[in-house]
Amino acid sequence: IPPPIVASYDPRNKPFSVPYAAKGEQVIGRESQLQAVRTQLTQGRRTAIGQTASFQGLGGLGKTQLAVEYAWKYRDTYPNGVIWLNADQDMDAQLIDLSEKARWVARESDHKSKLDIALHRLKSYSDCLLIFDNLEEQETIRDYLPEPGVNPHILVTSRDEQPGFIPVPLELLDSKLSLQLLIQEAEREPDNEDEWQAARDIVSDLDGLPLALELAGAYLRHRPVSWAQYRDLRRQRMQDAILPKHLTFTRHDTDLYSTLRVSEELLDEQPRLRDILDLLTWSGSAPMGLSLLSALIGVENPVELTGALGLGVALRLLKKSAKADSYAIHRLLGEVRRAEKPLAEQGAWVDKVCLRLGDWFQDRREDFADLAVFEAEIDHLSAWQTHAAQLAPHHASRLIWLQTYPPYHRGRYQESQQWVNQAIEVLDRESTPSQELKAHLLADLGTIEGHLGKYEMALAHDREALAIRREVLDEKHPDTANSLNNVGSAYGDLGDHEKQLEYAEQALVVQREALGEKHPDTANSLNNVGNACSNLGRLEQAIDNGRQAVQLATELLGHQHPNTLLYIGNLAVRLRKSGQRWQAFQLLDKTLRDLPRDNPHFEKLAQQARNLLSGKQLRPGFRQPSAKEAERNWGRKK
């Protein structure tokens, strides 16, 4: 008869209590993070409780799975074992269960003895790995942390930032790795280019979130649908694009709406982060620059957002552009927040955002130097124009109008005319339309029509805008002066140069009084007075005004600004008319040598220079440039 087996109960038994299997080679794109956490736990900065590391951030990043992979990969380097505790569950119950499974104490022992032995083991052993999964508040694990002098490795996973635990950056998957993971989980590949494009669209929509890619792959694996059909289903209703009973490797919640929720406790601690998430949820998909972001939230100093933005990026709730101080919300997080809190319930907030948005863009609409910044944010202007149409219609016309300016500055006048006409149509449907906005629209429409050669229509709209501004504002308002200039230019286009000069001189007087001598609008009026004088044959006065306009615009706007170049071209015309062809050529030559070829004014100025060269000798002793020199300096004649 063999001797009875005696159970070996010993608190020194080495545990390995990881509750999930490792995916091993099926984990895609995470090797560097596993190495980073290993480096931190073995060589990194120590904290008061030992060597710590954390995987933190947005739900669905794969934090738990990475902790699992780390535990399995490095289990043999921990002589005293690996202990896993779910920090959002009853940890005493888990430790009691661990005492039995690790054979630290007999199953028949009372719960208090089992717990005491497990707590002693947890708090007093070095050379082991402790994992606290899904930690929300550090207070919940305070009684389970090691005693001073003990040196375990401690790894936590959390959706929130956890002070005292060194974060290991956990990046979203790039498009290549995302596609690899999606195909791996689907266990099939697209079979034609349209299906490949649909797969790439799915990857783009899921924005590098591993759990979302895993769930999408599971659906494609278990349902006989095409890649394009799945893409369309997911875009129409995200909930229906997930298998109801699918289990992930870590058996986590497959309801993305639950997984992607941001804890209210976190947002209460960082209320500015809530403001940022709310704003980006309903804005365009492009990253939003810090200037616009601050303006729409109502923060005067962008520094006030530094902490909230840093936390949002650290938790992968936000993505920061690599080349600019611009931010976007994670695409799926935005979907969840839009579904949870419909915009229709936030009318007062929509009104406030639309007002601030209009002010920000209106301040930057006229200066070509602001065009790049303006265009970088145009996606948000378009998005809020759509919201305004439904929830804040009194803002809709202005937000449509502001989209006039990029095509206008780019010389696409017919496109800009369409935007203005649309804005006027929307404004006219309002019960009490803003007369100041109506004047803006009419003034811009007149300017555009002037560029299109519709001079009679331009004059009519310019005069209407002037009449409104005289009534709503006053005679000495800068906008009234701009309308005086516009009316004068329209008369000039129609050949009435006496009236052109009359209105231009009135505008110059008003602008000097309202804005001062050194202002871009004053430079514009000087140029307009010069145009009128030139048309009337008063070339000496025209040239004098032209030189003043060029000098002032160069000082205030820079030598490559469209207004500066316009004034230079006008001055060159006046110099040529007065017989000073050499001086006109020198002015153009100097300008063109420093001007990029893609500047909208380059070809017009180059043509002026070529015309001067094609006539009689400019100056005794002047060597006519070769064709190659002319092409290099002023472009090829078309």
Side-chain angles (χ1 to χ4, degrees):
I1 300 174
I5 297 176
V6 179
S8 57
Y9 299 112
D10 189 334
R12 294 171 297 179
N13 286 341
K14 178 180 177 179
F16 185 76
S17 65
V18 178
Y20 311 118
K23 292 181 72 173
E25 293 182 357
Q26 290 183 314
V27 176
I28 290 175
R30 293 307 197 199
E31 185 58 40
S32 61
Q33 279 84 18
L34 290 175
Q35 184 56 53
V37 76
R38 181 62 181 171
T39 299
Q40 167 53 33
L41 290 175
T42 56
Q43 305 172 31
R45 182 172 65 85
R46 287 178 57 86
T47 71
I49 56 174
Q51 297 290 141
T52 70
S54 68
F55 291 130
Q56 63 185 33
L58 183 67
L61 271 172
K63 301 180 292 294
T64 296
Q65 188 64 56
L66 279 176
V68 170
E69 300 303 322
Y70 179 83
W72 281 94
K73 182 172 184 176
Y74 294 103
R75 61 182 299 184
D76 293 337
T77 66
Y78 294 102
N80 288 319
V82 177
I83 297 175
W84 182 293
L85 292 171
N86 296 310
D88 58 345
Q89 300 174 20
D90 186 336
M91 285 191 287
D92 284 354
Q94 295 174 66
L95 288 173
I96 290 169
D97 183 60
L98 179 59
S99 285
E100 296 179 8
K101 291 179 177 177
R103 306 181 70 80
W104 290 339
V105 65
R107 185 181 301 272
E108 297 78 17
S109 301
D110 61 79
H111 282 2
K112 184 178 184 305
S113 297
K114 295 175 183 177
L115 180 59
D116 287 345
I117 289 174
L119 282 172
H120 176 73
R121 185 69 163 66
L122 194 68
K123 296 167 71 70
S124 62
Y125 273 60
S126 300
D127 301 323
C128 63
L129 173 65
L130 308 180
I131 299 174
F132 294 99
D133 186 35
N134 204 21
L135 176 62
E136 296 177 0
E137 298 288 340
Q138 286 195 32
E139 186 62 33
T140 61
I141 65 169
R142 194 170 307 280
D143 294 336
Y144 302 89
L145 294 174
E147 297 170 350
V150 179
N151 186 30
H153 290 177
I154 306 176
L155 176 61
V156 303
T157 73
S158 177
R159 296 188 187 188
D160 302 334
E161 192 175 41
Q162 298 297 339
F165 293 89
I166 308 301
V168 174
L170 198 54
E171 303 296 339
L172 296 161
L173 299 179
D174 62 26
S175 57
K176 181 179 179 180
L177 293 174
S178 294
L179 186 60
Q180 183 182 343
L181 177 58
L182 179 64
I183 291 173
Q184 171 187 283
E185 297 300 318
E187 295 183 356
R188 59 177 163 122
E189 288 191 358
D191 54 14
N192 59 55
E193 181 52 37
D194 288 343
E195 291 289 87
W196 275 108
Q197 184 55 53
R200 290 190 287 269
D201 290 343
I202 294 167
V203 162
S204 175
D205 290 345
L206 300 182
D207 212 6
L209 195 67
L211 175 61
L213 292 159
E214 181 181 341
L215 295 175
Y219 193 102
L220 287 158
R221 184 167 70 249
H222 292 287
R223 294 287 185 270
V225 299
S226 69
W227 294 81
Q229 287 172 327
Y230 180 79
R231 173 197 61 199
D232 297 341
L233 173 65
R234 206 215 67 80
R235 286 178 173 178
Q236 291 167 14
R237 185 170 169 80
M238 182 166 68
Q239 299 97 315
D240 292 343
I242 298 172
L243 295 177
K245 297 182 179 180
H246 174 67
L247 288 179
T248 64
F249 249 68
T250 52
R251 301 193 291 278
H252 272 41
D253 193 349
T254 59
D255 176 8
L256 279 179
Y257 278 78
S258 298
T259 301
L260 292 172
R261 286 192 181 101
V262 181
S263 74
E264 289 302 313
E265 292 78 8
L266 172 68
L267 297 180
D268 288 340
E269 292 176 8
Q270 278 281 5
R272 286 302 187 193
L273 181 56
R274 176 187 280 110
D275 296 338
I276 293 167
L277 294 177
D278 287 346
L279 178 63
L280 295 180
T281 291
W282 293 104
S283 297
S285 59
M288 182 181 290
L290 187 56
S291 172
L292 180 59
L293 187 65
S294 302
L296 299 189
I297 290 175
V299 171
E300 291 188 8
N301 188 347
V303 172
E304 293 182 38
L305 300 181
T306 300
L309 289 169
L311 178 59
V313 171
L315 299 181
R316 301 302 180 261
L317 308 175
L318 302 174
K319 295 188 292 182
K320 184 178 184 296
S321 298
K323 297 182 180 180
D325 207 1
S326 302
Y327 301 84
I329 192 171
H330 188 279
R331 192 186 302 267
L332 292 182
L333 177 59
E335 286 187 32
V336 168
R337 294 180 70 81
R338 284 192 292 273
E340 287 186 329
K341 194 175 180 182
L343 199 61
E345 300 173 0
Q346 307 174 66
W349 178 66
V350 173
D351 182 81
K352 185 185 300 182
V353 172
C354 288
L355 176 63
R356 292 169 174 171
L357 182 84
D359 290 345
W360 189 91
F361 277 98
Q362 190 166 337
D363 287 344
R364 291 160 177 78
R365 75 191 192 280
E366 293 183 331
D367 194 341
F368 182 82
D370 287 329
L371 181 58
V373 175
F374 195 108
E375 289 180 319
E377 309 291 6
I378 199 75
D379 191 34
H380 309 299
L381 179 57
S382 177
W384 283 98
Q385 176 222 316
T386 301
H387 301 325
Q390 299 296 322
L391 302 170
H394 53 289
H395 292 294
S397 178
R398 181 162 75 138
L399 300 190
I400 294 169
W401 163 57
L402 290 167
Q403 294 175 73
T404 299
Y405 284 89
Y408 172 79
H409 285 304
R410 298 293 183 190
R412 303 195 302 269
Y413 300 121
Q414 290 182 335
E415 182 183 343
S416 58
Q417 182 184 32
Q418 291 172 359
W419 282 110
V420 175
N421 283 330
Q422 183 183 348
I424 291 174
E425 182 181 338
V426 171
L427 185 67
D428 286 344
R429 291 200 297 264
E430 292 187 25
S431 56
T432 55
S434 164
Q435 291 303 296
E436 185 173 353
L437 178 57
K438 182 69 175 285
H440 286 323
L441 296 174
L442 291 168
D444 282 356
L445 183 58
T447 299
I448 293 166
E449 288 167 339
H451 284 292
L452 293 172
K454 302 174 182 179
Y455 303 130
E456 293 283 359
M457 296 175 66
L459 177 59
H461 289 129
D462 288 333
R463 287 174 63 87
E464 189 177 353
L466 176 59
I468 294 173
R469 283 172 168 168
R470 278 173 162 162
E471 180 180 351
V472 174
L473 304 172
D474 61 51
E475 283 286 352
K476 296 186 177 181
H477 192 281
D479 286 348
T480 304
N482 287 335
S483 277
L484 288 167
N485 262 325
N486 292 344
V487 171
S489 295
Y491 274 122
D493 289 332
L494 290 167
D496 191 339
H497 303 306
E498 291 290 352
K499 282 191 176 296
Q500 178 186 12
L501 180 58
E502 174 189 343
Y503 279 94
E505 288 180 333
Q506 288 181 50
L508 180 57
V509 170
V510 173
Q511 284 168 334
R512 278 175 164 161
E513 184 174 340
L515 303 172
E517 286 288 345
K518 290 199 171 185
H519 192 278
D521 287 352
T522 304
N524 185 50
S525 285
L526 285 165
N527 174 70
N528 290 341
V529 170
N531 285 338
C533 290
S534 178
N535 289 330
L536 290 168
R538 304 174 189 176
L539 293 178
E540 186 176 344
Q541 183 181 353
I543 291 171
D544 180 59
N545 280 293
R547 291 191 191 281
Q548 290 183 59
V550 169
Q551 181 179 353
L552 189 54
T554 302
E555 178 183 347
L556 299 176
L557 304 174
H559 67 282
Q560 293 187 12
H561 191 280
N563 287 2
T564 307
L565 297 174
L566 175 65
Y567 306 157
I568 287 172
N570 289 343
L571 177 57
V573 169
R574 297 167 201 167
L575 288 168
R576 181 176 185 177
K577 287 174 67 175
S578 71
Q580 301 178 62
R581 297 175 65 249
W582 172 247
Q583 288 84 347
F585 175 78
Q586 284 185 306
L587 175 65
L588 293 170
D589 181 45
K590 179 181 179 183
T591 301
L592 288 166
R593 288 178 185 274
D594 295 331
L595 193 62
R597 294 290 180 95
D598 61 354
N599 188 289
H601 286 262
F602 182 91
E603 179 55 32
K604 183 176 181 180
L605 295 176
Q607 186 61 54
Q608 284 184 260
R610 290 192 293 264
N611 289 342
L612 287 166
L613 288 172
S614 64
K616 61 183 179 180
Q617 185 73 15
L618 287 174
R619 177 186 177 188
F622 174 69
R623 183 181 66 82
Q624 189 81 357
S626 67
K628 186 174 182 180
E629 289 173 323
E631 178 183 343
R632 182 179 66 245
N633 293 338
W634 313 297
R636 185 186 301 277
K637 188 171 183 178
K638 296 182 180 178

